[in-house]
Amino acid sequence: MSYNAIGQEQCQSFVGSDCGRKAFQHYQGKRVYKLNRLPQCGSSKASPPFSTQTMKSYRKLPTRLTHTPGPYGEEEEEEEDEGNEPALEAARKTPSLGKRWLGAAVIVGAVVLVGTFWVIRAQSPPSGPPEKCDVPEAQRFDCYPERDTVVTPELCGARGCCFLQSSQGGPPWCFYPPDFPSYALTTLNRTDLGFLGVLTRTTKAHYPKDVLELQLQVDLETDFRLHIKLTDPNNPRYEVPLEVPNATKKAQNPLYSLDFSRDPFGILVKRRGSGVVLLNTTVAPLIFADQFLQISTLLPSEFLYGLGEHRRGFLHHLDWTTLSFWARDVPPTESYNLYGAHPFYLSLEEAGSAHGVFLLNSNAMEVVLQPAPALTWRTVGGILDFYVFLGPDPSSVVQQYQQVIGFPSMPPFWGLGFHLCRWGYGSSNETWQTVKNMRNYLIPQDAQWNDIDYMEGSRDFTVDPEHFSTLPQLVMDLHKHGQYYVLILDPAISSSQTPGSYAPYDEGLRKGIFINNTHGQPLIGEVWPGLTAFPDFSNLETHQWWLENLNAFHARIPFDGLWIDMNEPSNFKDGSVDGCTSGELDNPPYKPAVLGGTLFAKTICTSAKQSLSSHYNLHNLYGLMEAKASASALIAIRGKRPFVISRSTFPSQGRYSGHWLGDNRSEWKDMYWSIPGLLNFNLFGIPLVGADICGFSGSTTEELCTRWMQLGAFYPFARNHNTKGEKAQDPVAFSPMARTAMKEALMTRYALLPYLYTLFHHAHHWGDTVARPLFFEFPQDTNTYALDRQFLWGRNLLVTPVLESGVDSVTGYFPRGLWYDYYTGSSLQSQGERVKLAAPLDHINVHIREGAVIPTQKPDITSWMSSGNPLLLVVALSQEGMAWGDLFWDDGESLNTFERGNYSYVVFNVSQNIFTSTVLHSNVEVIYITVDGLTVYGIQKQPQVVTVNGQEIPFSYLENQVLSMSGLNLNLNRSFSIKWI
């Protein structure tokens, strides 16, 4: 048998395309079978799906078989003209495809089921001598991915694979031949949601404990979402305990169609209409062993995004890159697996449509990208559980992904303000003095944080009695000024003190909430406090223990938010103080390309026992489970929206926490890397994200910190944080010029908080991104596909930061259309071009997209003080004189305000020189907000009269076509209109 190794250039549309015809060319005259009817699963009258009784023989191969539903759901067959002699004659004359390794696939039958095709391909080797190892380099799939072995021809041959030495760092030397044995699809039945099939393997692959029989479940869950699941039907396997939607009926008009290859098994997912192949798993063998699962697919283009957490450009390069997924404590570094695991990608197709794929698997994993273009998934446990999202636009893909993993929670309003922290304040008084200095200079700040130096001996739920004795007074002062306090907690609990002297450990030991080693005793590692045990957050008893300790600590220090760090979990000892076992969980047959070379490097033994499963299965979920426990505890303690920032993350984390991008460095390149980071985490459904402004480690410079504060003012989550032993980098630590520039950037952020807060409402309710790449709004503009030095807030604000030293200008790309300078209203008409912008040290370029209404507010030094100030509405007219915007408003902290109806929602429209504000939903909070001013950009002719609700008012008009009016004093709770003539 040979694989349908179909190249990208042939596979833009399989059925009826050149690729489909070429696949037929070796099979003229062969028997073609049609499965007349698929039996219902479990029917006593069902015939074996491949039995000869249900097959019809054709004497001649048609150029194409199509099927359309008949009346009452019966299927009617339409056969294309069999007299198409030119096509058949061309097929007869086609030479062997041995050197092109396109594979030997033919569509031998099809059944239409609500627009979904089921196809079986009969296969036969091409004529002429086989040249199975003459495979193009880009299409070689690695047969010997082990990195601790020097692959030789003998080792490769022992696996039945091809060995051809190639360039260093390029394609694999040992790769699968087209006839490598795989699974065959032996039965396939219809179900209420799609299909249920059985795959069997008769020849074992080269990893131990092959699963020789698999169950294939394909559910057409929605028109936009397809669910493909491969499991062992005879032995239960670990599955990720993530709450996912349960489909109750099959999609009626899906955007996708399906083809199945019988032997070897493969699946093709195509976009209906365009026929673009989104998935094609026929290109390499499926392997499903106990601790090695692998599946490959072709990609429709080279434009691939997501797959985190890694430090890379936003657009992946398909140059034989391996990305590993294993939560790890390491400063962000290129090519390393970092703090979280997000096996989700978004792919752009050549026509600008987009789709996404999510592998719901929490085991150690790696993804290989190669220039075919193709992608290979490898994981060492669990099952293969895929979701495919059809979009078709990029924003819809992310929304559909979040319909599976859950939409992010709504943050408290104060969480969007400016946060300040450092490791190394030294004392609560020094921390307090920093806050006072910020107030003295009237620099906005909402929250003050402390790192682990507030603790006694770095132990959770303690306070250093000598240096942080005034911490309660500091927190009281913050609350008095409308500010908030956030403290750090590490999950590792000190275990070395005298029994009875440290209640968190004593109670945890008594309740049995710690992760155990294989002997059933608490696994002991080493973190900041010394010897430590690790809470098992997969155990609900641990959540209660966490709540009780937080509640008791909150009675002493009334904190407002939690910063959960070191939760990969991090361990200074590899595995434990006693090492790890020599068993298969700590030393699996295959080790993905993880930093350190072992799964227990700088974390706990993967053989460790947790309530739900082994740490081997749950490691990547540790940060998610701690975040869930922390958010729940904050709700119980404060009765308000929780604010949690976590280092380690997994899909659905946005429901419980935000994320910061880890221990970066005070370097210009780190400032750049933060942009791909925040764009990726918006793809991952965690929009509350940012990097440590000015850098965590190392010493910043005034220029770098000024530029970074300007960029950080546009992070969804904005915190300046640095390490101990370095000079201070809060705004008051710099010269008056730098301090003023930083203040102005923060004032711009605070003015835009109503707009930003509304974007978070969109994320919470619909799954929108907050910070997004330009191609989300301009998917037809290929110039935007690789841009990651600029980004958008929502669809309307374009941020173009300076990312280099010693410059006073920056070049940014402006997609086709009209753009307005946010500060002045001056217009920029672009045909889709790069534009050089002035960027002195006190300025960050921000532009408004035409057709937008941006709600802003007079800024103050805290979000609480700003929230009561009047609004100023900024209108950026389109070239047709139109604009639209909205505002979501509530009390900023109560739980589930949208779900309970305790909010206001106002829509703004501009058409035919009339601005209207329409209140669609109202609550008491909006009664106290007024609209003081309206500024309109892009009015080409000076108005003669401006009226508000029919009454003339004074106005001003500038030469750059900006109309302004102030002193309106309009209640936001009431609809109004403003007209200019």
Side-chain angles (χ1 to χ4, degrees):
M1 305 300 175
S2 61
Y3 289 163
N4 310 322
I6 303 166
Q8 165 65 17
E9 67 276 11
Q10 289 87 18
C11 258
Q12 289 307 305
S13 176
F14 185 87
V15 177
S17 67
D18 288 341
C19 177
R21 288 189 289 273
K22 289 173 183 176
F24 293 170
Q25 288 169 359
H26 290 297
Y27 295 96
Q28 75 281 9
K30 298 293 187 291
R31 290 169 65 86
V32 179
Y33 299 98
K34 172 178 179 287
L35 184 62
N36 288 329
R37 184 182 298 278
L38 283 173
Q40 289 290 347
C41 186
S43 170
S44 61
K45 298 181 180 179
S47 300
F50 298 104
S51 70
T52 56
Q53 288 93 337
T54 60
M55 294 182 180
K56 177 180 177 182
S57 175
Y58 290 85
R59 289 172 295 178
K60 183 186 291 186
L61 177 73
T63 57
R64 182 178 179 184
L65 295 177
T66 62
H67 303 265
T68 56
Y72 312 110
E74 295 296 325
E75 294 164 3
E76 297 178 346
E77 179 183 345
E78 292 179 324
E79 187 170 326
E80 288 193 358
D81 183 8
E82 292 185 359
N84 190 350
E85 293 300 326
L88 294 177
E89 184 63 24
R92 295 187 184 101
K93 295 179 179 179
T94 301
S96 167
L97 297 181
K99 291 188 176 183
R100 298 172 66 183
W101 201 41
L102 291 178
V106 64
I107 298 178
V108 302
V111 172
V112 173
L113 182 60
V114 198
T116 300
F117 297 96
W118 187 80
V119 181
I120 309 168
R121 298 186 182 90
Q123 297 172 320
S124 176
S127 58
E131 300 176 354
K132 69 178 185 178
C133 291
D134 194 2
V135 177
E137 287 190 348
Q139 298 174 18
R140 295 177 184 174
F141 291 85
D142 200 345
C143 178
Y144 218 114
E146 287 83 351
R147 286 158 191 82
D148 55 358
T149 302
V150 177
V151 183
T152 64
E154 292 74 20
L155 289 174
C156 183
R159 291 189 173 182
C161 293
C162 298
F163 186 92
L164 288 175
Q165 189 169 336
S166 57
S167 59
Q168 185 70 25
W173 294 5
C174 182
F175 54 92
Y176 293 106
D179 60 354
F180 192 90
S182 186
Y183 290 88
L185 179 62
T186 55
T187 66
L188 192 69
N189 295 299
R190 289 188 298 187
T191 69
D192 291 341
L193 293 177
F195 301 100
L196 195 67
V198 174
L199 311 182
T200 56
R201 172 187 280 278
T202 57
T203 304
K204 290 190 174 183
H206 42 267
Y207 289 98
K209 299 181 182 179
D210 265 9
V211 181
L212 298 181
E213 181 179 277
L214 298 177
Q215 178 176 284
L216 169 69
Q217 180 179 340
V218 180
D219 292 341
L220 288 62
E221 294 193 342
T222 73
D223 290 345
F224 308 96
R225 183 174 77 233
L226 176 67
H227 190 186
I228 304 169
K229 196 171 183 179
L230 286 165
T231 59
D232 181 349
N234 301 311
N235 298 288
R237 294 178 61 84
Y238 164 77
E239 297 188 31
V240 181
L242 195 68
E243 298 176 8
V244 295
N246 292 318
T248 58
K249 62 179 181 179
K250 182 175 52 189
Q252 297 300 303
N253 189 28
L255 296 184
Y256 46 86
S257 64
L258 300 174
D259 293 346
F260 295 96
S261 172
R262 174 183 177 181
D263 190 5
F265 164 74
I267 186 169
L268 277 77
V269 179
K270 296 173 289 183
R271 185 178 295 282
R272 292 183 66 187
S274 69
V276 172
V277 177
L278 309 182
L279 289 181
N280 177 2
T281 71
T282 65
V283 293
L286 166 66
I287 296 179
F288 199 119
D290 183 41
Q291 292 182 274
F292 185 90
L293 293 76
Q294 177 176 278
I295 191 168
S296 302
T297 180
L298 288 178
L299 299 168
S301 80
E302 68 270 30
F303 301 114
L304 190 75
Y305 310 85
L307 298 173
E309 181 179 10
H310 303 95
R311 171 174 280 200
R312 295 174 61 83
F314 186 53
L315 172 65
H316 286 294
H317 295 291
L318 310 186
D319 50 358
W320 304 105
T321 299
T322 298
L323 305 172
S324 47
F325 300 74
W326 189 243
R328 168 66 192 248
D329 173 7
V330 59
T333 307
E334 295 86 330
S335 304
Y336 288 173
N337 48 297
L338 302 182
Y339 308 106
H342 294 272
F344 164 77
Y345 71 75
L346 182 147
S347 174
L348 279 177
E349 301 148 39
E350 291 192 354
S353 295
H355 70 278
V357 176
F358 170 43
L359 173 54
L360 180 51
N361 183 295
S362 63
N363 290 91
M365 186 189 307
E366 63 189 16
V367 169
V368 179
L369 309 177
Q370 63 189 75
L375 177 151
T376 296
W377 299 92
R378 294 192 196 110
T379 183
V380 298
I383 64 172
L384 295 177
D385 191 0
F386 289 99
Y387 288 87
V388 184
F389 310 101
L390 271 290
D393 59 276
S395 291
S396 296
V397 170
V398 175
Q399 291 169 349
Q400 292 155 17
Y401 173 48
Q402 292 179 83
Q403 288 170 4
V404 171
I405 65 170
F407 293 151
S409 62
M410 188 70 183
F413 192 64
W414 64 266
L416 304 184
F418 177 62
H419 301 245
L420 192 56
C421 182
R422 77 166 300 169
W423 182 21
Y425 280 123
S427 69
S428 51
N429 285 341
E430 184 180 341
T431 309
W432 201 345
Q433 188 58 52
T434 301
V435 174
K436 292 175 181 178
N437 290 340
M438 292 284 286
R439 293 176 190 160
N440 289 339
Y441 285 106
L442 300 178
I443 300 175
Q445 181 189 1
D446 260 83
Q448 179 62 51
W449 298 37
N450 275 125
D451 210 315
I452 59 173
D453 43 358
Y454 80 85
M455 302 176 183
E456 183 178 18
S458 300
R459 294 189 294 273
D460 282 352
F461 312 115
T462 67
V463 175
D464 180 343
E466 179 180 354
H467 299 100
F468 282 82
S469 59
T470 60
L471 188 55
Q473 289 79 17
L474 164 60
V475 176
M476 184 183 302
D477 181 70
L478 288 169
H479 291 168
K480 179 182 176 182
H481 287 83
Q483 294 173 301
Y484 298 84
Y485 182 68
V486 179
L487 53 77
I488 193 171
L489 284 177
D490 295 337
I493 299 297
S494 178
S495 64
S496 58
Q497 51 284 321
T498 304
S501 63
Y502 183 49
Y505 179 72
D506 295 335
E507 284 298 302
L509 202 61
R510 184 180 66 83
K511 294 181 176 182
I513 57 89
F514 294 118
I515 295 176
N516 288 333
N517 58 27
T518 55
H519 301 294
Q521 300 297 319
L523 182 145
I524 302 300
E526 181 181 338
V527 195
W528 297 115
L531 299 180
T532 55
F534 298 84
D536 176 9
F537 288 103
S538 76
N539 184 351
L540 292 181
E541 288 294 324
T542 307
H543 290 221
Q544 181 62 29
W545 166 86
W546 193 245
L547 167 60
E548 291 170 358
N549 281 281
L550 283 169
N551 194 36
F553 194 60
H554 188 268
R556 296 177 55 197
I557 310 294
F559 54 85
D560 304 289
L562 291 175
W563 170 22
I564 51 177
D565 191 13
M566 307 290 286
N567 55 349
E568 291 71 35
S570 178
N571 182 7
F572 298 163
K573 297 287 186 182
D574 287 351
S576 77
V577 294
D578 300 317
C580 298
T581 72
S582 58
E584 293 179 341
L585 293 181
D586 289 316
N587 298 279
Y590 181 79
K591 300 179 183 66
V594 298
L595 178 62
T598 68
L599 297 184
F600 52 80
K602 208 170 181 182
T603 189
I604 66 176
C605 300
T606 43
S607 60
K609 298 179 179 179
Q610 296 190 232
S611 173
L612 194 62
S613 187
S614 66
H615 193 69
Y616 183 86
N617 293 323
L618 300 179
H619 172 83
N620 281 336
L621 297 173
Y622 196 87
L624 168 63
M625 291 178 170
E626 186 194 13
K628 187 174 182 179
S630 300
S632 176
L634 280 174
I635 291 172
I637 293 168
R638 300 181 70 244
K640 299 176 182 179
R641 283 179 220 165
F643 179 84
V644 182
I645 298 294
S646 175
R647 190 167 74 177
S648 187
T649 58
F650 191 78
S652 83
Q653 187 105 14
R655 298 173 60 186
Y656 312 106
S657 82
H659 172 64
W660 97 103
L661 297 174
D663 297 339
N664 59 3
R665 302 168 184 85
S666 296
E667 298 180 8
W668 288 91
K669 67 175 184 178
D670 285 67
M671 180 166 60
Y672 155 68
W673 286 121
S674 71
I675 300 177
L678 71 92
L679 294 178
N680 268 316
F681 274 89
N682 273 267
L683 261 63
F684 301 150
I686 309 175
L688 188 63
V689 59
D692 281 347
I693 297 171
C694 301
F696 172 71
S697 64
S699 200
T700 190
T701 65
E702 183 165 287
E703 181 191 14
L704 172 61
C705 200
T706 301
R707 292 300 195 189
W708 210 330
M709 282 289 294
Q710 292 168 345
L711 170 59
F714 289 90
Y715 290 159
F717 163 58
R719 181 186 70 165
N720 181 315
H721 175 50
N722 72 332
T723 189
K724 62 181 179 180
E726 301 291 348
K727 62 183 180 181
Q729 61 186 38
D730 52 90
V732 300
F734 295 99
S735 70
M737 182 182 68
R739 185 170 62 241
T740 300
M742 295 178 187
K743 176 181 177 179
E744 288 303 313
L746 290 176
M747 283 293 190
T748 300
R749 177 187 183 87
Y750 275 65
L752 286 165
L753 282 181
Y755 177 70
L756 180 61
Y757 194 60
T758 301
L759 292 180
F760 270 95
H761 166 67
H762 294 169
H764 172 62
H765 184 52
W766 289 291
D768 282 354
T769 51
V770 173
R772 67 187 62 161
L774 275 73
F775 77 77
F776 266 49
E777 294 299 324
F778 303 93
Q780 304 296 327
D781 185 349
T782 57
N783 293 315
T784 65
Y785 290 5
L787 294 180
D788 58 8
R789 301 174 72 88
Q790 297 170 273
F791 59 95
L792 292 160
W793 262 15
R795 67 184 307 273
N796 293 322
L797 278 186
L798 176 61
V799 181
T800 308
V802 171
L803 302 172
E804 297 173 346
S805 174
V807 300
D808 59 5
S809 65
V810 62
T811 299
Y813 181 78
F814 288 80
R816 184 182 183 90
L818 190 60
W819 298 85
Y820 296 92
D821 185 293
Y822 168 77
Y823 309 98
T824 67
S826 296
S827 61
L828 187 160
Q829 179 73 52
S830 175
Q831 299 303 315
E833 56 201 272
R834 293 173 60 81
V835 179
K836 186 175 181 180
L837 307 167
L841 188 59
D842 62 351
H843 182 73
I844 179 171
N845 279 279
V846 182
H847 288 79
I848 306 177
R849 182 182 180 182
E850 64 173 304
V853 178
I854 306 293
T856 72
Q857 197 163 32
K858 181 181 178 182
D860 215 315
I861 61 172
T862 67
S863 64
W864 179 79
M865 295 177 69
S866 294
S867 64
N869 287 341
L871 295 180
L872 171 64
L873 305 178
V874 181
V875 176
L877 292 178
S878 70
Q879 296 173 70
E880 297 76 26
M882 312 278 285
W884 183 91
D886 62 344
L887 173 68
F888 176 86
W889 201 255
D890 60 14
D891 67 9
E893 62 178 9
S894 294
L895 295 165
N896 302 318
T897 57
F898 178 75
E899 291 76 7
R900 295 176 179 176
N902 297 327
Y903 69 95
S904 294
Y905 185 67
V906 184
V907 171
F908 310 110
N909 274 290
V910 179
S911 179
Q912 297 180 337
N913 296 343
I914 301 175
F915 175 97
T916 58
S917 173
T918 305
V919 180
L920 298 184
H921 194 279
S922 181
N923 79 328
V924 66
E925 297 295 332
V926 80
I927 294 175
Y928 307 103
I929 305 299
T930 61
V931 176
D932 184 69
L934 177 70
T935 300
V936 186
Y937 298 161
I939 294 185
Q940 298 180 10
K941 182 179 179 181
Q942 180 171 348
Q944 300 301 309
V945 176
V946 175
T947 62
V948 176
N949 294 331
Q951 301 294 319
E952 285 193 29
I953 61 166
F955 63 92
S956 65
Y957 181 79
L958 302 179
E959 291 183 358
N960 61 345
Q961 301 180 346
V962 175
L963 170 68
S964 296
M965 56 212 77
S966 60
L968 301 179
N969 197 30
L970 296 168
N971 196 306
L972 190 62
N973 194 43
R974 299 176 182 174
S975 298
F976 60 84
S977 65
I978 300 175
K979 183 177 182 180
W980 52 92
I981 303 173

